[in-house]
Amino acid sequence: MEEVDHHAQERIKAQFDVEAMKVVWAGSKHNLDVADRMARLVASDPVFSKDNRTMLARKDLFKNTLRKSVHAWKRINELRLTEEEASMLRLFVDEPAYVDLHWGMFVPAIRGQGTEEQQKKWLPLAYKMQIIGCYAQTELGHGSNVQGLETTATFDPKSDEFIIHSPTLTSSKWWPGGLGKVSTHAVVYARLITNGKDHGVHGFIVQLRSLDDHSPLSGITVGDIGTKFGNGAYNTMDNGVLQFNHVRIPRDQMLMRVSQVTREGKYVQSDVPRQLVYGTMVYVRQTIVSDASKALSRAVCIAVRYSAVRRQFGSQDGGPETQVIDYKTQQNRLFPLLASAYAFRFVGEWLKWLYTDVTQRLQANDFSTLPEAHACTAGLKSVTTSATADGIEECRKLCGGHGYLCSSGLPELFAVYVPACTYEGDNVVLLLQVARFLMKTVSQLGSGKQPVGTTAYFGRIQHLIQCKCDVRGADDWLNPSIIVEAFQARAVRLAVNCAQNISKAPSPEEGFLELSADLVEAAIAHCQLIIVSKFIEKLQQDIQGQGVKEQLQILCNIYALSLLHKHLGDFLVTGSITPKQGALANEQLRKLYSQVRPNAVALVDAFNYTDHYLGSTLGRYDGNVYPALYDEAWKDPLNDSVVPDGYQEYIRPLLKQKYKSSRL
Amino acid sequence: MEEVDHHAQERIKAQFDVEAMKVVWAGSKHNLDVADRMARLVASDPVFSKDNRTMLARKDLFKNTLRKSVHAWKRINELRLTEEEASMLRLFVDEPAYVDLHWGMFVPAIRGQGTEEQQKKWLPLAYKMQIIGCYAQTELGHGSNVQGLETTATFDPKSDEFIIHSPTLTSSKWWPGGLGKVSTHAVVYARLITNGKDHGVHGFIVQLRSLDDHSPLSGITVGDIGTKFGNGAYNTMDNGVLQFNHVRIPRDQMLMRVSQVTREGKYVQSDVPRQLVYGTMVYVRQTIVSDASKALSRAVCIAVRYSAVRRQFGSQDGGPETQVIDYKTQQNRLFPLLASAYAFRFVGEWLKWLYTDVTQRLQANDFSTLPEAHACTAGLKSVTTSATADGIEECRKLCGGHGYLCSSGLPELFAVYVPACTYEGDNVVLLLQVARFLMKTVSQLGSGKQPVGTTAYFGRIQHLIQCKCDVRGADDWLNPSIIVEAFQARAVRLAVNCAQNISKAPSPEEGFLELSADLVEAAIAHCQLIIVSKFIEKLQQDIQGQGVKEQLQILCNIYALSLLHKHLGDFLVTGSITPKQGALANEQLRKLYSQVRPNAVALVDAFNYTDHYLGSTLGRYDGNVYPALYDEAWKDPLNDSVVPDGYQEYIRPLLKQKYKSSRL
């Protein structure tokens, strides 16, 4: 293909220092350098090519992923990469695989829940990948409600062993990634039973397959649970089904950091606080928020670049048609997503800080901020993943028909992303947890207990339930304190409305269930306030680079005002703003779109994604989309021959009237 | 699998005559009988099995579709099916294929745009499938803007031929279904050029492939455009790319019903009105609305049934957990979609009538209702397909993790459905057409021109821009005339606001472009009003069956009030209702959910879908989902062997430390 840059004009228009923005997006110069090196390393290695991923049958696809995984490991070793580099490299390989669960769930579970002795025994094996592990929690009949798991681990004092068993079909482990075909070991969650007493769900290290020939051990039935959404997507992963028929493991394979079973079968608690588990959840969900900004920014990058290349209508005197990105309808759908990608990036950064803070407090036995941190991360996980899943699909639609082609990269991105709305806590279930925390916060206000952290604004409840928004002209909507107060007023008032309605119910629990749809909306309002606030706080920091802060300011305002428009009903029904002020916000939003327009392509360039990572004909850096689409088409296996396989049997007889005998 | 009915308790609870509802849903007893017979015919024929569709590589998948298509044709002939039966049979085969375009676009194009002579020549060939045709309009660089197509058809008076040519890469025909590998002929849209003059886009019948050996004719490059979204989905279709290198066709292969080129190369118009083209668009879009209700109802059927089987949380004293369908959050997401499926069914039925009405008027040279009918169908196509695409994905999420498995049927349903948002008019482009019509309607009010049909309510504009909603208690929201007036007030006021803002712009066109995002919202409000109104009108008809009308009444109210809640901002910002009235609507909505709850399973049973057509482990009629999920899993090719292909090359060396040499 000829060397061109169809975006050159767009790049010249940019009013800020793109290189400086890259540093802001990456978090630091160091992060940018590592990411850049690893991305290029992967992109230049033919083994990591993603070309044919969406065209392979399941078995070929899976085998190719095994190939990539072992090659990645080989390269990590040959190049003596650091842990940070290795994890970046895996990110850019960009294909879900068993290694994700090994490093992301199996190792952390042992680290977090194993005793020192257990860590000493198992971690070196895992670090060297002499064993490969997965995380077997979810069951066929039990997802969200972990306490409802049915698998049992019964202590047998005679042999000093646990007997792991699947008593029913619905107790089959179902979904764990890496389980179906690869893992040699698993951390299995099962009901601990000693002396006939059920102590609830605990974790156990169980070997599944022979280290000699990979065959499942006696008593273990294991396989893959079948094809999933999308062409490639998660079909590179062997999500598995697992049944135990009285499988015995030594007592010391129960993860015993928090509670133990003694040789005599006595169940005892250690002095390690159970709350540590919540610390891990904060960690995992923080990574999910960070992944949300990655996924959304990729989709936005593709849609922005293609919208700048694609032209439709508006041709005058035979000149070129209008760039699609110049249409207000396109801007109105696309720019809020661009702003969201940045917003999620910064709230993710803040969550990382929060995790560190919580961890330090936990180590000092300070559990005071844990419930708030837990509610906050649960809510942010929910709000960012839902918005990202919807946003990717919106970006796909914004690319018109071509977005439906796998070569656009968008179908894959969507299909591989959407499970984030369900795993690690279903998004609606999580929002109800947030709502429960908010209701508790409201109910404790009278008792003088001061709300902390992201709920601190509830301390100003008297002001917030009756304050009036000061906006008189569209420009007033650029004032961060006005925006924050409007979002706070909306969140507080929705929460208070819910609390009042619940208090009318026969019991608080009945009221909570009856009003749960409203409670979800109150929880969303609270979470959106957090994201808006953290974006604004980020802008109060020192930010380097010509024009960089100004661009982020515009995006921050777009994020806030587009949310306000989307949830206008909330703001109006609570009287947080007036209809007139709502109209002014919309007017301001249109002005902001015009400001971001000349910078749009540069703002997605700042993500610094390689063409390999984007994997999109439409999102190419050089904008040369049409030859790319055309060339990709011919690679489809259907084009291996001009006359298709099946012509002789199924087309020719038809044309030759072999079946014609009807009255039609 | 054992014979059970896990939904028996649910079915007993139903408060209406399900058989009578089936007739209402089908449209008539006759329709129900035909659909039922054809659905069973397909379901019982092993060739039409859908079992392995999501596991096949592209070539195998495509070949299997060819096999199904020819088998369907064979059965249609053997059984001497009527046209109605044949089209139903194809529907239940439930796999996009070249035949859809042959019957749905190629034949109608010749019927609608061909002269009587042309119809006499080509239609018998097409009816017998001695030729297979497709519809080649869209180009690589040109979708929505048909007038921007680049392919040329230049008349050569010397040979009395047209020369069809693709002058650029972006002029390649791109997307036409059936083109890539199967069609022998195409209706090709190209710029007609005679004597150096461009007469705009016209249709031409062009042979593409040899009828002897299926090889492309000289000057023709044709192939498949590659993999599309989803595992099976539209990958059974050979969407194609096509380039012409000065291909010659006889003059009489231009479709000449509306305009002709004479032997001398003179371009002349016939007395057949051009508006006929709009009649065809009304027809096609009406079928799309009807398909929307089919697709949405399938997804809702799966989600409702699984939500009644699935249990999570709420277990007391070791009893069973709560059915997921009993949670208000689930009802709040699911029941509006159930109501939408019914709403779209009835508006589709009405559109069918509208098409007949428009056709009769066209035949009598009455074009007065055409613009309104055109705007109305364009808008309904947009609103119903967007809501359906979103609704299917919502149903998938409502099924939790298992909805992500292909065996749930939902990923396929989504991936195969979403193109409806883009084809036959991008949904946003269509809404802007509606908005343009609304602005015209508003501007003509002063001139005394009476708005007709679905815009007739603009005749009461004086009342509607200042009326006050009468709702005082939640029950008032059950009054159809109150609902309709609130929706009318919202639609009129949004339209008038837009018109006023446009009038402030330097020019109407600039104003229209600047305000296009608001205009889209005004158009949506207008379309939603139509759907609500047609649902209400349906209920004013005679409806047979015990309890049937009552159930539809509940669904109609849920549809209207859930829209009101979703677009609360619109209603409040225009002052169409007060915040208090909005809260009352929400309260009423919760009561309606409780009323629909015991009937939910029966209301989806009324769709009368076979398990084959649903193709879902989760949506099975008998509710026996867990054994079904388990059995499906083992059919995945990855489970052909216990130890996966690739173990020796890519897993064993890893475990055996072949690559370990790092500092990690």
Side-chain angles (χ1 to χ4, degrees), chain A residues 238-509:
Chain A
D238 53 331
N239 296 92
V241 48
L242 169 64
Q243 285 183 318
F244 298 100
N245 185 8
H246 299 97
V247 171
R248 288 174 171 269
I249 59 166
R251 182 169 53 91
D252 66 6
Q253 286 180 212
M254 169 175 159
L255 290 170
M256 298 223 202
R257 185 165 177 209
V258 174
S259 41
Q260 294 93 34
V261 170
T262 65
R263 176 66 192 89
E264 295 73 36
K266 223 182 121 193
Y267 179 73
V268 288
Q269 300 278 354
S270 79
D271 52 4
V272 177
R274 293 192 80 84
Q275 286 93 332
L276 275 180
V277 180
Y278 292 101
T280 310
M281 279 165 91
V282 171
Y283 173 76
V284 172
R285 288 176 185 160
Q286 163 252 309
T287 64
I288 294 177
V289 172
S290 157
D291 290 346
S293 72
K294 250 174 231 122
L296 184 55
S297 58
R298 287 170 77 177
V300 167
C301 181
I302 295 167
V304 165
R305 286 183 180 163
Y306 181 50
S307 297
V309 168
R310 185 181 175 209
R311 294 171 180 272
Q312 290 281 305
F313 296 110
S315 158
Q316 269 151 7
D317 317 320
E321 296 172 290
T322 305
Q323 285 170 283
V324 167
I325 199 171
D326 283 327
Y327 288 105
K328 287 286 164 186
T329 44
Q330 195 84 353
Q331 296 178 2
N332 183 53
R333 295 160 75 195
L334 187 50
F335 292 166
L337 296 175
L338 174 61
S340 301
Y342 276 90
F344 297 171
R345 178 69 191 93
F346 298 136
V347 82
E349 203 171 57
W350 171 77
L351 270 182
K352 214 166 166 177
W353 167 86
L354 183 74
Y355 170 67
T356 318
D357 182 65
V358 164
T359 310
Q360 283 167 357
R361 287 170 189 266
L362 285 181
Q363 279 158 359
N365 269 323
D366 169 7
F367 306 123
S368 64
T369 63
L370 197 55
E372 184 266 321
H374 180 247
C376 163
T377 45
L380 290 174
K381 183 271 181 187
S382 173
V383 167
T384 57
T385 56
S386 287
T388 296
D390 293 349
I392 295 169
E393 171 60 8
E394 186 75 351
C395 286
R396 198 190 60 70
K397 291 206 186 90
L398 284 166
C399 292
H402 299 343
Y404 189 63
L405 283 170
C406 286
S407 78
S408 77
L410 292 164
E412 273 290 284
L413 204 49
F414 181 74
V416 87
Y417 188 75
V418 286
C421 298
T422 311
Y423 63 55
E424 291 300 314
D426 173 87
N427 278 355
V428 171
V429 174
L430 291 181
L431 288 173
L432 287 172
Q433 291 176 10
V434 176
R436 221 173 257 284
F437 180 71
L438 292 179
M439 290 307 100
K440 203 171 161 190
T441 303
V442 171
S443 74
Q444 290 178 339
L445 285 174
S447 72
K449 191 173 172 199
Q450 273 305 307
V452 296
T454 54
T455 50
Y457 67 103
F458 275 89
R460 299 200 303 136
I461 193 166
Q462 290 310 330
H463 171 70
L464 289 172
I465 55 173
Q466 41 100 39
C467 65
K468 285 204 189 325
C469 175
D470 271 344
V471 166
R472 280 159 202 212
D475 284 358
D476 292 333
W477 276 120
L478 301 177
N479 183 337
S481 56
I482 284 188
I483 289 178
V484 169
E485 188 164 280
F487 274 80
Q488 287 178 339
R490 166 204 179 205
V492 157
R493 294 175 196 193
L494 287 178
V496 168
N497 282 353
C498 285
Q500 285 171 346
N501 285 330
I502 287 174
S503 70
K504 292 176 200 155
S507 78
E509 196 48 33

Side-chain angles (χ1 to χ4, degrees), chain A residues 82 140 145 181 212 224 227-228 230-231 243 321 402 404 406 415 521 565 630 639 641 652 657 663, chain B residues 82 128 140 145 181 212 224 227-228 230-231 243 321 402 404 406 415 521 565 630 639 641 652 663:
Chain A
T82 63
L140 183 53
N145 184 12
K181 292 286 150 184
D212 290 328
D224 185 273
T227 326
K228 289 145 289 187
N231 311 67
Q243 285 183 318
E321 296 172 290
H402 299 343
Y404 189 63
C406 286
E521 291 176 5
H565 183 66
Y630 191 79
N639 289 326
S641 60
R652 192 178 163 83
Q657 303 296 293
R663 66 188 184 203
Chain B
T82 62
K128 290 189 221 152
L140 183 53
N145 185 11
K181 292 286 151 183
D212 290 328
D224 184 274
T227 326
K228 289 144 288 185
N231 312 67
Q243 285 183 317
E321 296 174 290
H402 299 344
Y404 189 64
C406 286
E521 291 175 5
H565 182 67
Y630 191 80
N639 289 325
S641 61
R652 191 177 162 83
R663 67 187 187 204

Side-chain angles (χ1 to χ4, degrees), chain A residues 47 118 150 217 289 468 630:
Chain A
V47 175
Q118 289 175 318
E150 295 179 79
L217 299 188
V289 172
K468 285 204 189 325
Y630 191 79

